[in-house]
Structures are given as C-alpha cells and as structure tokens.
Amino acid sequence: MFHIILFGPPGSGKGTQSEKLIAEYGLIHLSTGNLLRSEIANKTALGLEAKSVMDKGQLVPDEVVIGMISSQLDAHADAKGFLFDGFPRTVAQAEALDKLLKLKNSGIGVFLALDVSEEELVKRLLGRGLTSGRSDDTDEAVIRARITEYNAKTTAVADYYKQFDKVVNVPGEGSIDDIYASLKTQIDARMH
Ligand code: ADP
C-alpha cells in the first residue's frame, strides 16, 4: 500500500489535484471536508455539530475527524492506498493517523505540500464561493479565519512529518497540469 498526504492551505488546490491523482494511481480519496459536508447534507447529529464550527472557519474537534477516518480505513481494508486530503490538520490528528496505519503494518509514503500565497488563496476561495454553494467560501472574514486557523494549528503538521523525511514542497501556483506533473514526478520517485 502507498499512502499520500496532500497538504496545503484552504484553496491551495488539494481537491482539484486529488481527483487527478486518485484516477491515475487507483487510490481511495479521503477528504475530511467532503466527509463532513456529506454528514451535513444527511443532517446527521455529527453534521449538525460540525456545521456551526465550519461556518466560523474553525476546526472540527480532533476526535470527530479521527473517528471518521478510522471507519473509512476499515471500510476500505483492501485499498491499494489512500490519498488524504485536508487530513491530518493538527499534530494530534497526525499522531492518530500514524497509529491507525501502523495497526495495518503501513505508513505514509509521501507528504506533498502545495505552496500558494495568501492573496492568491483569498482570490480563489472568493471565486469558488460564487458557484460552489459552500457557505464558508462566500464571506471573506470566514476565509481569513480558516487561513488563520491553518497557520495556528495546521502548519505544524508539516514539521511533524519532516522528522520522518516525508515532506516535499510543490509550487501550487501555475497551470493545473503543470502542478499535477510536479506532484506526479515526486510520487513516482518514491513509489517504487
Ligand atoms: P478547505 O481546505 O478549503 O478549508 P475543506 O473542505 O478541507 O476545505 O474543509 C472545510 C472545513 O471542514 C474546515 O474549515 C474545517 O472546519 C472542517 N475540517 C475539514 N477537515 C478537517 C480536519 N481534518 N480537522 C478539523 N476540521 C476539519
């Protein structure tokens, strides 16, 4: 099994690149943002709790997202590998993920971090808000709060994986195809 973490701030293109990567490598896409939005759409208790936090641009509690990921790993026990998108977002989530993968005699193959400037992020997210129907993309204050939350809690996740020599930074500005080609080069260099 080969597992990839696609890392980067909100609006860095993780969702777009994930779609291409899972098609190419036959991985299972685990996006905690998508999983949470589907809980919200299904009006579950978890979804109702998560929505109020997400609409403020804050992070959902660790135990909630770790629980979701744990059941997804079990649900796809025969997967070739997983692409983690938007997870882990805190060091506690990263430690929990390592434990879950270790139980399966597995671990992260590569941690790919997309680098995008803050002004470009805000521009992209406001643009996405015009069509995505995502309430957290329409309000610039919420977008800025998500970036603040990212800087406060999530950037430390990259430092955590640096100790295992897993981190590769990839420029996240430019054409979608060029960014994808850079990601693919890094994956292919480590997969075999
Ligand atoms: P983006 O990366 O564009 O912010 P996501 O779809 O990944 O969008 O996440 C949307 C929201 O869902 C986040 O702002 C956060 O509230 C919540 N969320 C997603 N993943 C996590 C996670 N791993 N831990 C805590 N909260 C999360």
Side-chain angles (χ1 to χ4, degrees):
M1 294 215 271
F2 190 87
H3 309 302
I4 299 170
I5 293 176
L6 189 56
F7 185 80
S12 56
K14 300 186 296 293
T16 305
Q17 296 296 337
S18 289
E19 293 304 327
K20 298 169 77 76
L21 290 168
I22 56 165
E24 173 112 24
Y25 295 101
L27 303 170
I28 300 285
H29 185 194
L30 292 186
S31 157
T32 40
N34 290 350
L35 291 168
L36 290 166
R37 281 185 287 278
S38 115
E39 296 283 339
I40 293 171
N42 293 325
K43 298 192 162 62
T44 65
L46 192 160
L48 287 174
E49 185 194 333
K51 185 173 175 11
S52 61
V53 180
M54 290 165 74
D55 280 346
K56 284 186 260 178
Q58 294 168 359
L59 292 183
V60 171
D62 286 335
E63 56 275 18
V64 173
V65 285
I66 292 166
M68 285 192 328
I69 288 290
S70 175
S71 40
Q72 289 293 316
L73 296 183
D74 291 339
H76 300 281
D78 52 357
K80 277 172 70 180
F82 295 99
L83 174 67
F84 297 97
D85 160 7
F87 180 90
R89 254 179 162 90
T90 64
V91 173
Q93 292 177 21
E95 289 169 347
L97 177 62
D98 276 355
K99 276 192 198 138
L100 290 170
L101 292 178
K102 221 168 255 167
L103 289 174
K104 300 180 188 304
N105 292 316
S106 192
I108 294 301
V110 65
F111 181 103
L112 298 163
L114 290 168
D115 290 327
V116 178
S117 71
E118 179 162 339
E119 282 328 294
E120 173 72 14
L121 296 174
V122 174
K123 202 173 87 190
R124 287 185 190 178
L125 290 168
L126 284 171
R128 186 168 80 183
L130 298 175
T131 54
S132 70
R134 276 182 57 168
S135 50
D136 60 345
D137 283 345
T138 44
D139 181 341
E140 183 162 344
V142 175
I143 290 172
R144 298 265 178 204
R146 280 153 65 202
I147 295 172
T148 301
E149 193 81 328
Y150 176 83
N151 289 328
K153 297 179 185 160
T154 305
T155 49
V157 173
D159 295 326
Y160 173 83
Y161 283 101
K162 272 182 200 150
Q163 62 177 318
F164 309 115
D165 248 352
K166 298 288 180 198
V167 177
V168 182
N169 286 78
V170 174
E173 295 185 45
S175 81
I176 289 174
D177 287 343
D178 286 349
I179 297 163
Y180 179 66
S182 310
L183 294 170
K184 194 169 155 16
T185 302
Q186 296 299 334
I187 294 167
D188 291 342
R190 282 165 183 79
M191 205 164 211
H192 302 296

